[in-house]
Amino acid sequence: MIQPLPTSVSLKANPLLAHWLRFEADGSVTVFTGKAELGQGIGHALKLMAAHELDLPLTRIRIEAANTANSPDEGMTSGSLSVQDSGLAIRQACAHAAHLFKMHACTSYAELRSQLDAQLPVDVIVSTKSSALNLTEGREDLAALVFGQPVFLQDLGINVDLTPIKNNGGQINIKLLHGRMVRGPGLRCTLRDEGWTDALAAMSEEIQAFRDGSLVGVVAPTEDMAEKAASKLQRLLKWDVETLPECREGGVDLFDVAPAMDSQVFHEAGQPQEASTGAKVYEAVYFRPALHHGSMGPSVALAVWDSAETNSGLKVWSHTQGIFPLRKDLALAFGVKAEQIEVQHMRGAGCYGHNGADDVAYDAAWMARHVPGQCVRVQWTREEEMQQSPLAPAMRVKLQATVQASAETTSIRAAKDGGPVELLSWQHDVWSQGHSSRPGRAATPAFKDSWQTAQKFPVLEPINVAAAAGAGAERNAIPPYSSQHVKVNAHRLLGLPFRTSALRSLGAHANVFACESFMDEIANDQDCDPVAFRLSKLEDPRAKAVVQTAADQVNWLERRQSLAHKEGWGLGIAYARYKSKGAYCAVVAEVEVTHQVNVRRLWVVADIGEIIHADGAISQLEGGAIQSTSWALKEQAHWDANHITSTHWDAYPILRFSEVPEVQVHLMPGDSLNAISLNPPLGAGEATQGPTTAAIANAVFHAVGVRVRQLPMTPDNLAKAALA
């Protein structure tokens, strides 16, 4: 039995069939989406869904890359929502098209072209098909990626004589110039007027240099010339530099030096209970440092203005996560109508949130405006990528819980089921800067460089998105475990000089690390098995099934007992439902602790509802687990009095291939605990971030009896925890 699907959020905003499908003369179908292909394989998943609903082979389906001229406005590609939102909209549009195909007795979808009104809305009453696990076709883009075909934006225009610039079959025959920004010696700098004229005079005639307030850039015929000119100008100019707060261990002291704080009760449920004399109060503080995105390829963009006229059109090629939010802020920055701007998405290096893609797009458009009719390509350096992109904010989490054990409880009984141990209260306090500085959400532009211009656009304070959208710092702060009283307080740090924004899973990473570590601490002190304790406090049957399956996958009790006899080896488990409404995920980690923490194996069990493309989902879960392992063991941003200093891989180490653990992923059936129909599909991209780090921390405690509450779990932090 197929349960009718709810109307997609994307479809509500873009209700017409023509927003999603175009029927070509050769019988093929072009599918439109506002979601960006960031390497997560969403293009292939959407193609599979469309082909399935339309009863067409994959070769007859074309997914058009997101473009503001043709694509539906679906906001940001974020929050693991592409399958849920865009995928559902495309399925419903294709189901309607397939219905019309039969109703009009067509022999080809080309015949529908003349049958349909351009204003025809998608009929969501038409049922979609069930796809279950039968969509297993491999991604057709992988060969191009493996063999180095020029599919990335970084490849576009990389040769100085590459004209015309090609884009999805179209082309522009214009001159290509290379641009570079000129940065001051600090994170926040103001350019002095003195020395500008002399510095300009020192430039060769092939170089064009531009200034607007404290924003400076150069364009040149070649990349090499642009880089040398920018370096020279940087040495000649004089700047005033704002002093940064002192940094200790990735920002562990930021919470004490923030100029202001906005504290709110984010969530409260139940009533406080009076504890008996046998109750015990637990308290612990956890810390996650500021993080970089650490993408392999620095950000890049191309831009061209048609002319110098005020009504000139602007085209931008960008690897942004949101083509329409980027267009909105470009219009604000340049004082033009959004309709004058076209943003074409192209793939860039791996993206895990709000990186430098939008900022470099502004840089390219700003420089291109000085040379109308010529295309400017701006490529950031590794140093710029690490210093100018937003950081993931440092987070501190304080947990307090009151636990009541039944008088007749024995350690043997507790270890068996954990049931006699009751959570009377649970309080979660989280301190963090906001987790979103994305474009498209304010009345002024969000580009950092636009704040440097003479227009003096205000510096925007990072925000946390609304709870309905998954929250920011508070994401996954509400525990999944039953407690008579739960309270979550959020403390947003204000006035700090760091621009922070979304990084994969936002606040869920630190909150789940804290919550799941705390659960293990309570279980250990109460002499409860960690799995049994969790199962006794979970009420959602699908959550219980995921945790139990993870335990079964590793033979939990037997493996724990076996590893207890191996010096330095341990096994830990952690669970979370992403955003408390997304994918269910449990992770088991096996570690060996020597002078450092070595993660040997990870087992991931996830319930993502109806599975659209199993291989793609497994890749997302596996990749998230590996990245979370890197965060857990190695990653931490640094800065000095003037600037961010973690600007290269020695200063910001990430997990090496030799350190990658073996990862096994198990997907729960699409109809898990649902005898009526398939469960709605849920995104897989961010579900493993929190549970993986927490499982590693719990495994470290099992291995050596040391509770590490401060990330990353470096040898230094491990030693400090041992001495605490």
Side-chain angles (χ1 to χ4, degrees):
M1 177 178 177
I2 307 300
Q3 185 177 2
L5 294 172
T7 303
S8 163
V9 172
S10 294
L11 195 58
K12 290 178 181 178
N14 307 276
L16 303 183
L17 190 64
H19 287 147
W20 301 97
L21 303 176
R22 184 175 66 222
F23 305 104
E24 309 295 357
D26 63 356
S28 64
V29 179
T30 297
V31 178
F32 302 105
T33 176
K35 298 297 184 180
E37 176 57 70
L38 308 169
Q40 80 278 42
I42 188 60
H44 184 67
L46 297 179
K47 191 172 187 177
L48 287 172
M49 297 163 84
H52 188 67
E53 295 291 343
L54 293 169
D55 282 321
L56 286 175
L58 282 179
T59 55
R60 306 297 287 163
I61 302 293
R62 174 177 169 266
I63 301 289
E64 181 160 302
N67 180 292
T68 53
N70 301 317
S71 301
D73 185 352
E74 297 191 83
M76 288 288 174
T77 305
S78 61
S80 298
L81 294 172
S82 295
V83 166
Q84 291 172 240
D85 292 347
S86 193
L88 178 54
I90 288 170
R91 290 182 71 178
Q92 291 176 318
C94 290
H96 185 200
H99 173 73
L100 294 171
F101 182 91
K102 294 177 181 177
M103 186 177 73
H104 292 287
C106 298
T107 59
S108 167
Y109 277 101
E111 297 174 23
L112 274 184
R113 284 156 42 102
S114 59
Q115 302 281 349
L116 302 182
D117 185 339
Q119 298 302 308
L120 179 68
V122 174
D123 185 354
V124 297
I125 302 300
V126 178
S127 295
T128 58
K129 295 180 180 179
S130 168
S131 56
L133 273 169
N134 62 341
L135 298 180
T136 57
E137 291 87 345
R139 284 173 55 179
E140 57 191 15
D141 61 332
L142 293 183
L145 301 179
V146 171
F147 294 107
Q149 295 179 22
V151 297
F152 294 105
L153 180 54
Q154 280 86 347
D155 302 318
L156 187 62
I158 201 166
N159 299 315
V160 295
D161 59 348
L162 183 58
T163 53
I165 297 173
K166 297 180 180 178
N167 178 58
N168 288 342
Q171 59 187 39
I172 46 176
N173 291 283
I174 51 179
K175 185 178 180 181
L176 179 67
L177 297 174
H178 295 270
R180 290 292 185 273
M181 303 306 295
V182 179
R183 311 284 183 187
L187 187 63
R188 287 191 174 184
C189 297
T190 302
L191 180 64
R192 298 179 187 173
D193 289 332
E194 59 184 281
W196 169 252
T197 302
D198 292 340
L200 207 59
M203 295 292 102
S204 63
E205 61 180 16
E206 299 96 336
I207 306 299
Q208 299 180 69
F210 311 112
R211 177 189 175 186
D212 183 357
S214 294
L215 188 63
V216 180
V218 298
V219 296
T222 69
E223 280 195 291
D224 183 62
M225 292 174 67
E227 289 171 0
K228 290 178 178 178
S231 179
K232 183 176 182 179
L233 202 54
Q234 193 169 30
R235 293 194 303 270
L236 295 173
L237 296 178
K238 298 178 181 179
W239 307 77
D240 293 320
V241 182
E242 180 180 325
T243 302
L244 301 180
E246 291 186 12
C247 172
R248 185 167 60 85
E249 300 166 297
V252 73
D253 45 2
L254 284 182
F255 316 98
D256 303 317
V257 301
M261 187 183 303
D262 176 23
S263 296
Q264 298 181 8
V265 177
F266 175 75
H267 171 85
E268 187 167 14
Q271 296 296 324
Q273 301 293 315
E274 186 173 339
S276 69
T277 55
K280 186 170 184 178
V281 177
Y282 294 86
E283 182 174 305
V285 177
Y286 304 86
F287 173 72
R288 199 282 304 271
L291 299 175
H292 291 287
H293 288 260
S295 181
M296 288 292 101
S299 298
V300 63
L302 286 84
V304 59
W305 292 82
D306 293 339
S307 68
E309 303 298 323
T310 55
N311 62 349
S312 168
L314 165 65
K315 180 159 186 177
V316 175
W317 290 262
S318 172
H319 52 102
T320 176
Q321 283 188 285
I323 54 173
F324 286 97
L326 173 57
R327 184 180 73 165
K328 176 182 180 291
D329 274 29
L330 287 172
L332 290 173
F334 296 113
V336 301
K337 297 178 180 179
E339 292 73 22
Q340 293 174 234
I341 302 172
E342 178 186 351
V343 178
Q344 173 65 57
H345 184 270
M346 289 192 69
R347 291 183 64 168
C351 176
Y352 318 110
H354 182 191
N355 61 7
D358 299 300
D359 294 287
V360 75
Y362 168 79
D363 292 344
W366 176 74
M367 279 193 268
R369 201 173 200 190
H370 292 86
V371 286
Q374 300 177 82
C375 187
V376 175
R377 178 183 186 273
V378 177
Q379 169 76 67
W380 274 8
T381 62
R382 167 57 53 194
E383 185 177 40
E384 281 181 294
E385 188 72 27
M386 305 298 263
Q387 291 180 331
Q388 305 301 324
S389 293
L391 295 170
M395 296 181 66
R396 181 169 69 188
V397 177
K398 180 181 179 181
L399 292 176
Q400 294 173 298
T402 303
V403 174
Q404 180 77 61
S406 298
E408 71 275 11
T409 298
T410 65
S411 62
I412 294 176
R413 183 181 173 193
K416 182 178 179 182
D417 60 19
V421 179
E422 185 177 8
L423 292 175
L424 298 182
S425 68
W426 183 289
Q427 181 166 318
H428 185 121
D429 284 78
V430 55
W431 289 262
S432 172
Q433 286 184 262
H435 283 251
S436 181
S437 297
R438 291 185 184 278
R441 294 176 176 172
T444 55
F447 312 120
K448 181 174 179 289
D449 283 343
S450 73
W451 306 339
Q452 296 284 93
T453 66
Q455 289 179 270
K456 297 188 181 300
F457 288 117
V459 175
L460 298 180
E461 193 74 54
I463 65 168
N464 288 312
V465 297
E474 316 91 348
R475 184 168 292 182
N476 279 94
I478 302 172
Y481 305 104
S482 59
S483 176
Q484 294 187 25
H485 178 242
V486 174
K487 187 176 184 180
V488 177
N489 300 313
H491 312 278
R492 184 164 66 105
L493 308 182
L494 304 172
L496 290 168
F498 306 103
R499 186 174 59 138
T500 59
S501 196
L503 178 62
R504 197 173 190 173
S505 81
L506 282 72
H509 178 243
N511 288 323
V512 173
F513 160 62
C515 173
E516 290 298 295
S517 295
F518 200 49
M519 281 292 287
D520 249 45
E521 294 193 46
I522 296 172
N524 178 72
D525 189 67
Q526 293 287 331
D527 203 13
C528 297
D529 173 70
V531 170
F533 187 52
R534 284 172 171 79
L535 290 174
S536 71
K537 301 296 172 279
L538 288 170
E539 296 178 340
D540 187 332
R542 290 172 70 182
K544 287 186 174 184
V546 164
V547 172
Q548 186 62 62
T549 302
D552 293 343
Q553 289 277 308
V554 301
N555 294 316
W556 172 259
L557 291 176
E558 293 82 355
R559 188 179 290 268
R560 286 261 292 189
Q561 292 170 1
S562 174
L563 289 178
H565 299 296
K566 296 176 67 175
E567 184 178 356
W569 286 75
L571 199 70
I573 191 169
Y575 160 79
R577 184 178 187 190
Y578 183 53
K579 294 193 285 191
S580 302
K581 59 184 179 181
Y584 301 80
C585 182
V587 176
V588 176
E590 183 176 276
V591 305
E592 181 188 9
V593 182
T594 55
H595 66 288
Q596 63 183 17
V597 178
N598 306 281
V599 181
R600 300 307 186 192
R601 297 183 73 179
L602 295 172
W603 293 264
V604 177
V605 175
D607 182 347
I608 61 171
E610 180 185 4
I611 301 167
I612 304 303
H613 186 224
D615 185 59
I618 289 170
S619 294
Q620 284 293 289
L621 293 162
E622 183 182 65
I626 293 170
Q627 184 179 42
S628 182
T629 301
S630 185
W631 292 350
L633 302 186
K634 291 177 175 290
E635 298 187 38
Q636 175 174 290
H638 300 276
W639 55 89
D640 59 18
N642 295 329
H643 219 325
I644 292 170
T645 56
S646 44
T647 59
H648 50 85
W649 301 123
D650 288 333
Y652 189 81
I654 61 175
L655 203 68
R656 295 179 176 272
F657 283 109
S658 60
E659 299 168 308
V660 172
E662 177 186 344
V663 183
Q664 296 182 22
V665 178
H666 174 82
L667 299 179
M668 300 293 283
D671 59 353
S672 178
L673 300 180
N674 188 342
I676 299 174
S677 66
L678 290 168
N679 295 309
L682 302 169
E686 296 163 282
T688 48
Q689 304 306 120
T692 300
T693 293
I696 293 170
N698 292 336
V700 168
F701 180 79
H702 181 238
V704 293
V706 174
R707 176 58 62 182
V708 183
R709 299 191 183 102
Q710 178 173 331
L711 298 176
M713 293 176 239
T714 58
D716 285 347
N717 282 340
L718 189 64
K720 283 194 301 183
L723 295 173

